[in-house]
Amino acid sequence: MDERPDRAPDGGPARGPELREPDLPRTAKQRPKALRTGWTTGTCASAAARAAALHLVTGEPQPWVEVALPSGRRVTFAVERSAELRPGRTEAVVVKDAGDDPDVTHGSHLTATVSWRDEPGIELHGGVGVGVVTRPGLGLEVGGPAINPVPRAMISRAVGEVVDVAARGVDVTISVPDGEKRARKTTNARLGIIGGISILGTTGIVRPFSTASWRASVEQAVSVAAAQGAPAVVLCTGGRTEKGAMELLPALPEVCFVEVGDFTGAALRRAVEHGVGRVVFVGMVGKLTKLASGVLMTHYTRSKVDTSVLADVTRAVGGPESVAAEVAVANTARHAYELWDAAGLLPAPGAELCHRVADVLERFTDRRVTAEAALVDFTGRTVIALHSGDGGLLP
């Protein structure tokens, strides 16, 4: 018998969190036209790196360069400036276009400096205006530049297409002249990224997830799924989790899968309107934590991760108080996840977190949908834990 005081007779939390669905930022609500996609800082950095490498190899500045996105698609960028700083050292600049996303890095000058080095291979560095990681929980080396894994791979590929790095080595430094000033408008400092912006991106493309038009597209996707008789809708936070969800639930048609971004509440309301009786949410620990906290619109400007929820989850599954205390002051949800993993607790707290998410989703719809939830790792492809109700779709 489960006698934990935080549990109801049905196994769910006895007192669920207050449900909240914060409104969009005003600037994101006034969008009369279709939205234009843009390019991530990672894509622009890779284009600048390729331009500088080409200048280094050919001795000629390149007005245009072509780079590969993670999908394999190739895109062309104008080079704002390319110069030889001294023999064996070149620099190139690509200006970031974020499309219609309200992105503080729009218009920033992604700058790559490339020079020969003695040993084969590529050494990637962060220069002026690129943040330095000072805390764990970001999936990056503490003390290293805030350049995420996908942009690192894109930069390496862009340069490797120009230079045979197995035979000759290059140093690549990415910098953003006004990056430190731009970073003041981000959450970087709170996350322990100091001195500049992060070089980000998983697809290479900036889609305007945080706008009213994106919310409308989520609602439309749920309506389309319902119109085709979908047995459930599977809400995924992004492209990686959507791929993982499709692998997890291969029997469901593609129309069931909705890349929901921040708009879980909007998707749930539309599911109720159309009589869709089952919802599966697949996400990583950050979004799941916000949902478990009762937040149904998870845009970063309107909500933040409450690690006290994760500390409570730790205690609920019998985790040591020492771990719960560490989790309570974790830098990020990812940091808390890593603390669970290091303590050998996964997947028990993951399953508890999923249980709480499912309960929030059902409460938000006045129990008119049956909800399931799955926690995936940071690749989006490996399921860490899940909660499936009676007759659930999740294995």
Side-chain angles (χ1 to χ4, degrees):
M1 179 177 177
D2 189 344
E3 297 180 345
R4 286 175 290 173
D6 62 330
R7 311 297 292 186
D10 65 356
R15 294 181 299 278
E18 176 190 356
L19 302 182
R20 295 175 290 131
E21 191 180 19
D23 201 2
L24 282 164
R26 179 184 57 79
T27 54
K29 293 177 5 181
Q30 300 173 357
R31 298 286 185 179
K33 298 186 296 184
L35 294 168
R36 188 170 57 87
T37 59
W39 308 107
T40 64
T41 48
T43 300
C44 297
S46 72
R50 182 180 175 89
L54 282 166
H55 196 162
L56 183 67
V57 170
T58 66
E60 297 292 334
Q62 307 294 312
W64 302 89
V65 289
E66 181 186 86
V67 293
L69 300 179
S71 66
R73 173 187 166 197
R74 299 188 73 87
V75 291
T76 302
F77 288 84
V79 179
E80 178 76 4
R81 177 176 62 82
S82 186
E84 183 180 59
L85 303 180
R86 57 174 170 75
R89 186 178 180 86
T90 54
E91 185 172 273
V93 176
V94 169
V95 179
K96 175 172 174 175
D97 178 2
D100 284 329
D101 195 69
D103 188 330
V104 300
T105 61
H106 176 71
S108 56
H109 285 58
L110 274 296
T111 304
T113 305
V114 178
S115 58
W116 298 119
R117 62 192 299 264
D118 294 335
E119 298 179 1
I122 296 176
E123 280 287 333
L124 181 60
H125 311 276
V128 171
V130 172
V132 175
V133 177
T134 65
R135 298 180 189 170
L138 296 168
L140 295 171
E141 181 183 359
V142 173
I147 304 176
N148 279 15
V150 172
R152 286 172 183 265
M154 293 176 70
I155 293 166
S156 295
R157 176 173 178 175
V159 174
E161 290 177 348
V162 177
V163 179
D164 181 4
V165 294
R168 193 168 191 187
V170 288
D171 278 312
V172 179
T173 300
I174 304 300
S175 57
V176 184
D178 61 350
E180 186 169 6
K181 180 178 178 180
R182 290 177 182 268
R184 295 172 193 161
K185 299 178 181 179
T186 74
T187 59
N188 274 12
R190 181 167 57 84
L191 298 177
I193 299 172
I194 305 301
I197 65 168
S198 306
I199 307 300
L200 302 173
T202 55
T203 65
I205 301 170
V206 173
R207 293 186 175 88
F209 289 126
S210 55
T211 64
S213 293
W214 182 255
R215 177 171 59 190
S217 74
V218 168
E219 293 169 338
Q220 183 180 49
V222 175
S223 297
V224 170
Q228 296 188 38
V233 289
V234 183
L235 307 181
C236 313
T237 52
R240 286 178 291 172
T241 51
E242 185 178 58
K243 289 179 182 178
M246 288 178 172
E247 292 174 1
L248 180 62
L249 297 165
L252 290 181
E254 186 175 9
V255 72
C256 294
F257 297 86
V258 179
E259 198 172 330
V260 75
D262 293 310
F263 299 108
T264 303
L268 290 171
R269 279 196 301 275
R270 188 56 59 92
V272 169
E273 288 174 17
H274 289 292
V276 178
R278 187 172 291 274
V279 170
V280 180
F281 192 95
V282 180
M284 299 177 195
V285 67
K287 282 292 197 293
L288 290 184
T289 303
K290 290 187 177 185
L291 289 171
S293 303
V295 179
L296 278 299
M297 203 293 287
T298 54
H299 188 264
Y300 75 96
T301 65
R302 290 299 183 265
S303 62
K304 64 179 183 178
V305 168
D306 183 357
T307 53
S308 70
V309 171
L310 299 179
D312 185 58
V313 165
T314 308
R315 297 183 182 102
V317 298
E321 180 58 33
S322 59
V323 176
E326 285 188 273
V327 167
V329 295
N331 185 37
T332 61
R334 180 173 184 148
H335 187 197
Y337 173 102
E338 291 169 352
L339 290 170
W340 285 342
D341 195 19
L345 294 178
L346 284 175
E352 173 71 10
L353 182 63
C354 290
H355 194 167
R356 295 185 183 205
V357 168
D359 183 70
V360 165
L361 302 187
E362 291 182 359
R363 286 177 55 219
F364 185 78
T365 62
D366 293 326
R367 308 290 178 183
R368 284 179 282 181
V369 303
T370 300
E372 305 173 54
L375 167 67
V376 294
D377 70 359
F378 300 104
T379 70
R381 312 299 281 272
T382 301
V383 176
I384 301 301
L386 53 83
H387 172 75
S388 179
D390 293 338
L393 296 171
L394 293 173

